[in-house]
């Protein structure tokens, strides 16, 4: 496993004002909320860099929405990935009509993400920012 402290520090070094401005306008969120969403996206991307073979599926929600905005500014996103972890974190959309088995697998993978999040950051992720795949009204995004 890579040095989590180094990756976390490097991730926090990165400033993305164009991404956050675009996200705030598109999703009509406050500057404070955008910063909270950014902090969570950083944590997600760092965990992906620390565990590149792990599957960490995301449900549609604010963290995923911000990631989609970040991906659209490809130079900033690629530069972030290279600077922070030296690997490009690809976006893998989930199935448009998942089977019950796929949903169960995604839930198990998400449970692994929650466990590794807590181990890495010494706290659980805020539930309101991390909707769970398979819950009523929650769509699988990536």
């Amino acid at each position: 496993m890579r040095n989590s402290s180094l990756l976390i520090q490097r991730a926090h070094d990165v400033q993305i004002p164009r991404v956050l401005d675009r996200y705030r306008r598109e999703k009509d969120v406050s500057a404070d909320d955008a910063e909270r969403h950014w902090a969570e996206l950083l944590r997600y991307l760092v965990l992906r860099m620390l565990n590149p073979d792990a599957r960490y599926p995301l449900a549609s929600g604010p963290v995923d929405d911000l990631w989609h905005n970040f991906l659209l500014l490809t130079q900033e996103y690629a530069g972030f990935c290279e600077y922070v972890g030296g690997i490009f974190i690809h976006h893998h959309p989930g199935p448009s009509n998942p089977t019950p088995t796929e949903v169960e697998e995604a839930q198990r993978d998400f449970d692994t993400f929650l466990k590794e999040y807590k181990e890495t950051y010494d706290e659980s992720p805020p539930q309101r920012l991390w909707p769970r795949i398979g819950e009523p009204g929650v769509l699988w995004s990536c």
Side-chain angles (χ1 to χ4, degrees), residues 6 55 60 110 113 118 137:
L6 177 61
R55 276 189 34 175
S60 290
F110 188 71
F113 162 75
K118 187 167 185 160

Side-chain angles (χ1 to χ4, degrees), residues 33 36-37 60-63 125-131:
D33 283 345
R36 274 190 283 283
H37 302 167
S60 290
V63 176
Q127 286 183 323
R128 65 184 172 74
L129 297 181
W130 294 100

Side-chain angles (χ1 to χ4, degrees), residues 30-41:
S30 70
D32 287 344
D33 283 345
E35 289 294 333
R36 274 190 283 283
H37 302 167
W38 172 237
E40 290 302 311
L41 178 59

Side-chain angles (χ1 to χ4, degrees), residues 89-106:
I89 301 300
H90 290 276
H91 179 276
H92 300 284
S96 57
N97 192 15
T99 67
T101 300
E102 289 172 322
V103 171
E104 288 174 14
E105 288 172 359

Side-chain angles (χ1 to χ4, degrees), residues 12-142:
H12 286 281
D13 288 346
V14 175
Q15 301 297 312
I16 57 162
R18 279 186 358 141
V19 176
L20 291 177
D21 288 345
R22 185 178 190 283
Y23 173 69
R24 287 181 56 208
R25 282 192 317 275
E26 184 179 295
K27 296 297 179 180
D28 193 29
V29 299
S30 70
D32 287 344
D33 283 345
E35 289 294 333
R36 274 190 283 283
H37 302 167
W38 172 237
E40 290 302 311
L41 178 59
L42 287 177
R43 288 180 165 198
Y44 175 80
L45 293 172
V46 165
L47 283 173
R48 292 276 312 269
M49 290 175 185
L50 290 170
N51 306 290
D53 296 327
R55 276 189 34 175
Y56 296 144
L58 286 181
S60 290
V63 176
D64 186 53
D65 289 341
L66 179 53
W67 190 17
H68 290 175
N69 270 275
F70 197 8
L71 288 164
L72 291 174
L73 296 167
T74 57
Q75 286 182 312
E76 283 94 331
Y77 182 70
F80 168 87
C81 289
E82 180 61 32
Y83 173 73
V84 174
I87 60 172
F88 190 85
I89 301 300
H90 290 276
H91 179 276
H92 300 284
S96 57
N97 192 15
T99 67
T101 300
E102 289 172 322
V103 171
E104 288 174 14
E105 288 172 359
Q107 289 172 328
R108 279 193 301 274
D109 291 339
F110 188 71
D111 287 342
T112 299
F113 162 75
L114 295 176
K115 178 180 158 281
E116 291 175 1
Y117 182 109
K118 187 167 185 160
E119 288 173 0
T120 303
Y121 301 112
D122 239 2
E123 64 183 356
S124 296
Q127 286 183 323
R128 65 184 172 74
L129 297 181
W130 294 100
R132 187 171 178 77
I133 294 167
E135 296 293 320
V138 176
L139 300 176
W140 187 350
S141 179
C142 51

